[in-house]
Structure formats: C-alpha cells, structure tokens
Amino acid sequence: MTEKNRTDNRTDNRTDNRTDHRTDHRTDNRTDNRTQHLIVLDMAGTTVADGGLVERAFERAAERLGVEPGSAGHAEKLQYVRDTMGESKISVFRHLFGTEELARRANSAFEEAYGELVDGGLIAPVPGAREAIEKLRADGRTVVLTTGFARVTQDAILDALGWQGLADLTLCPADAGGRGRPYPDMVLAAFLRTGAVDDVREMVVAGDTAYDMLSGRRSGAGTVAGVLTGAHDRAALTGHGATHVLGSVAELPQLLAESA
C-alpha cells in the first residue's frame, strides 16, 4: 500500500471503544433478493472478543524495538494502530518503523506477544458468534473467517477457541497474495476459492472496522455489515460504506433471513 493510499483510506475517527449496540438495518439499496450464500466474516472484534489484546501485544512489540512506554512516539504509534485496525499487521509496522527489517522485527515480536496472550486464555468468542456461524452454515451458506494476522496467529486463535473446522474456510493476507484490508483481496479470494456464488453481489461481508467496510465495498459485495462489538463506532462504519450496522454478528442470520 502506498503512503498516499493509506492516507486517503485511513479513518480520522478516534474511538474510545464506547459501543452503541442499537441495531440499524438501514441500507443504501444495494441489498436485494440475491442468494447471499457466501459470508465473509472478520475475526478479532467481530466474531472474537480479544479484550484489547492487539494493543497489549503492540505495546510489548514496540518496547522491544526501543519505543519507550509513555513517550509521545509511543502514543502516536499506538493511535495509528487503533486507527488502522483490520489492516494487515505487517503493513502497519512498515508504516510505523520505516524499513522492512524493522517492520519484520516488530511484526515477529507482535505475533509472539499476541500468541502468548492467547495461550494465556485471554480471548473468547463474541457472544452468539459460534451459534451464528453454525446457523449460517445450517442454512446452506458458506462461511469464511478472515484476519489481518499471520497464519500462525490465526491458527492459535482458532485452536484456543476450539474453532478449527467451524467455518468452511479461513484466510489471512498471505493466502490472498499478501495484501490485507482495506484491499478487497481476501474477500475476492473467498469468492474464488469457494465457488459458493456466481456473482460478487451475492457476497456478505461483516466486520468491526472501517477497513472491513472498505474491503467489502471494493470487492463488490452486496451486503457490507458493520458490527458494534469491536474497534470502530457507527459513524466510522457507515462513513466507510456499511450497508447495515448490527449490534453484533449474532444478528446476522436474522438479517439475511429477513432479506431473502
């Protein structure tokens, strides 16, 4: 991602993680009666409640690279991490640390720290997320779980939750050519790999960040649902293209049933 594109696509929203769980089913009329048989879901903040582990892992990684906790530089970098939630982590670190060597060192330290926190039991499903995925699949829909983490971290999360095999497919940026959100690559990789639908407009994308919304809209998905259980608020989600805003992913099966 070029610096220009990153600047154009960053949300200026500053969230204090206050969540408005009121459901908003407003649309921009992009959703119609297509089959909606391919569901692409984000993980952390959407189906997985990580309790701020991303920020905690970043702080550990930054300290290992000499960023002093409490300093202005630390605060600035942490804010950038918050603003770009949903983006591939290696891309975030390339921006923050400038060189490929430092970015890879930071990313490795981050993945190690996040894995340690996951292994410590500090992660849980968003309430109703597992049941929603099971319902979607029982209704004949194909479900794909995506993440901005590396594969090793994604697998650690799935293992910790007992979610291996829960979805039809899991994807990380490396599975889609290396580019994460806000690019549409992972969503389009789900479209190509599953063959579940014939038209990108039959896809449903759900996530908790502005970048999730951007990737969904850029992929051509007919339904792009924001959820209020993660990083960004209603204004950020709608401002970056959400066709619907839900209290949580647990509401998604009902939304799709109502629009069928």
Side-chain angles (χ1 to χ4, degrees):
M1 179 188 295
T2 66
E3 183 61 32
K4 180 179 184 300
N5 286 339
R6 176 175 286 106
T7 300
D8 291 344
N9 292 331
R10 282 184 55 194
T11 174
D12 287 330
N13 178 69
R14 298 296 186 262
T15 177
D16 60 2
N17 292 323
R18 290 176 296 183
T19 301
D20 178 358
H21 287 285
R22 292 172 297 171
T23 300
D24 183 358
H25 286 178
R26 292 172 297 172
T27 73
D28 61 359
N29 296 320
R30 297 180 77 231
T31 303
D32 55 23
N33 291 326
R34 294 187 179 90
T35 58
Q36 298 177 305
H37 278 174
L38 177 57
I39 318 299
V40 182
L41 304 175
D42 172 53
M43 291 181 63
T46 302
T47 55
V48 179
D50 76 349
L53 297 193
V54 169
E55 292 187 18
R56 291 171 63 180
F58 166 76
E59 288 176 338
R60 290 190 187 183
E63 189 171 2
R64 292 181 192 178
L65 268 71
V67 180
E68 183 178 351
S71 66
H74 181 276
E76 181 181 354
K77 286 178 168 58
L78 181 57
Q79 187 60 57
Y80 185 83
V81 169
R82 290 171 178 153
D83 292 343
T84 57
M85 286 289 188
E87 185 177 355
S88 169
K89 295 301 175 283
I90 185 64
S91 296
V92 172
F93 289 127
R94 285 179 180 131
H95 173 83
L96 290 178
F97 293 101
T99 70
E100 188 67 17
E101 178 187 359
L102 288 177
R104 291 194 176 279
R105 284 175 54 196
N107 192 62
S108 295
F110 172 86
E111 299 284 355
E112 180 182 348
Y114 196 94
E116 291 171 353
L117 293 167
V118 169
D119 290 343
L122 301 176
I123 200 164
V126 165
R130 183 186 185 101
E131 293 79 5
I133 294 169
E134 291 173 340
K135 172 62 175 170
L136 291 167
R137 293 187 71 189
D139 289 344
R141 307 182 198 274
T142 298
V143 178
V144 179
L145 292 174
T146 64
T147 184
F149 296 133
R151 167 59 62 181
V152 63
T153 303
Q154 184 178 41
D155 282 343
I157 295 170
L158 294 171
D159 288 340
L161 298 177
W163 278 17
Q164 291 286 5
L166 177 63
D168 295 278
L169 179 67
T170 62
L171 294 172
C172 67
D175 298 320
R179 296 196 310 181
R181 309 179 190 100
Y183 294 103
D185 302 20
M186 284 194 290
V187 180
L188 294 175
F191 173 77
L192 293 170
R193 288 200 186 191
T194 65
V197 294
D198 297 326
D199 188 325
V200 292
R201 292 171 292 179
E202 297 172 349
M203 298 189 299
V204 177
V205 174
D208 67 295
T209 71
Y211 277 12
D212 290 316
M213 303 301 96
L214 283 171
S215 67
R217 293 301 292 255
R218 290 172 177 178
S219 74
T223 299
V224 181
V227 298
L228 297 171
T229 50
H232 293 157
D233 63 11
R234 182 185 303 275
L237 297 171
T238 57
H240 289 80
T243 61
H244 303 73
V245 177
L246 306 175
S248 85
V249 72
E251 300 174 13
L252 186 60
Q254 180 181 352
L255 172 67
L256 299 184
E258 291 172 350
S259 63

